Amino acid sequence: MSEPQSPDRFHEEKATYTVRGSDKPDLETGVAAIRNVLKTLPARPGVYRMQDARGDVLYVGKARALKNRVTNYTQVARLSKRLQRMVAQTRSMTIVTTNSEAEALLLEAQLIKRYRPPYNVLLRDDKSFPFILIRQDHDFARIQLHRGARRIKGDYYGPFAGAGQVRKTLNALQKLFLLRSCTDGFFNTRDRPCLLYQIRRCSAPCVGRIDQAGYAELVSDAKDFLAGKSTKVQEKLGVQMQAASDALDFELAAILRDRLKALTFIQGSQAINAEGVGDADIFALAAKEGTIGIQAFFIRGGQNWGHRSFFPAHTADVPEDEVLSQFLMQFYEEVPPPKMCCSTANCPRANCWPRHWANAPGSR
């Protein structure tokens, strides 16, 4: 596969083949426009855009072999009513060739997001997903909720179904790991601990109540927990609490006891009973009276990080497997896939969903 920024990664045909005529839908005119394109169409991977008389994009599709795929649109009798309507409105096409089918799949998702074509299944809920971010741009790392592009240097954990789920988890994490949540400006101007230190939700690194090495250990424990290693963290806290009790340091033992309680709370509220599931997104589809709903569950480190419902648009007369395939393609354009990321069992690679979904049933 070419480098992501390589100028020859995608090859878009400069010419757009157009058949002049009425703006009204006409099946014969649409087929003629498609056949005009087929005269010079290569049998290689790529993406095609079908456009109406005004140049508006009607549909974006990808193919392993463009010539074979586009030829299907000229066999009108085999098309569904939905596709016949689309062909009747088609007056031109734009072709983009790629180096592989996986690249075509990724480009298809980008173009659907850009053009929002009326004949593609569309993911209507475009609200970004929240993440927990542990920043790495300060000696004393800050933990916070994050949305949008991941440009800040740090470790991102998610996605979570909603901001409420993140805040609930952050609240428990503050009790458990005592990491700061304040801005750098607030941190730099403190001369005494804030209220969060008083209620045991921060270790007050701003005023030296904990040194850099001790704080780094808390950060490491938090990362272990968010990565699914909660048992390791629990055992470590148990040993520390026992050592504090033996040394008659009851104040420290009480702090460690409260942290263990916070850990137990998170484990009890977010743990799932699914053997072998570490990081995974789970999807369920249901259809009733022409409406399709898809439920997504986010599992990270064996913890349930919430679920969200989606109701894709333009699903009338579209097979359910195609709806799910189109949905997943657009969903993972926005969300980083987990290690268990595709329909292939025991997948040997992380972030491999394009390779498998390119060949999944219903993938176009």
Side-chain angles (χ1 to χ4, degrees), residues 180-248:
R180 75 177 183 97
S181 58
C182 59
T183 64
D184 290 351
F186 185 86
F187 180 94
N188 294 331
T189 58
R190 298 301 298 177
D191 56 11
R192 60 180 181 177
C194 68
L195 179 61
L196 288 177
Y197 175 78
Q198 305 298 334
I199 62 175
R200 295 181 179 176
R201 293 194 183 184
C202 182
S203 52
C206 55
V207 292
R209 296 299 172 90
I210 186 172
D211 61 20
Q212 189 172 342
Y215 192 83
E217 186 176 356
L218 293 177
V219 172
S220 177
D221 288 344
K223 291 179 179 179
D224 282 342
F225 175 80
L226 289 168
K229 302 174 183 177
S230 58
T231 302
K232 175 182 176 181
V233 177
Q234 188 174 24
E235 291 174 351
K236 181 178 179 179
L237 286 174
V239 170
Q240 291 176 340
M241 186 176 71
Q242 185 61 50
S245 297
D246 293 344
L248 303 181

Side-chain angles (χ1 to χ4, degrees), residues 270-277 302:
Q270 296 185 335
I272 60 168
N273 296 315
E275 185 177 356
V277 176

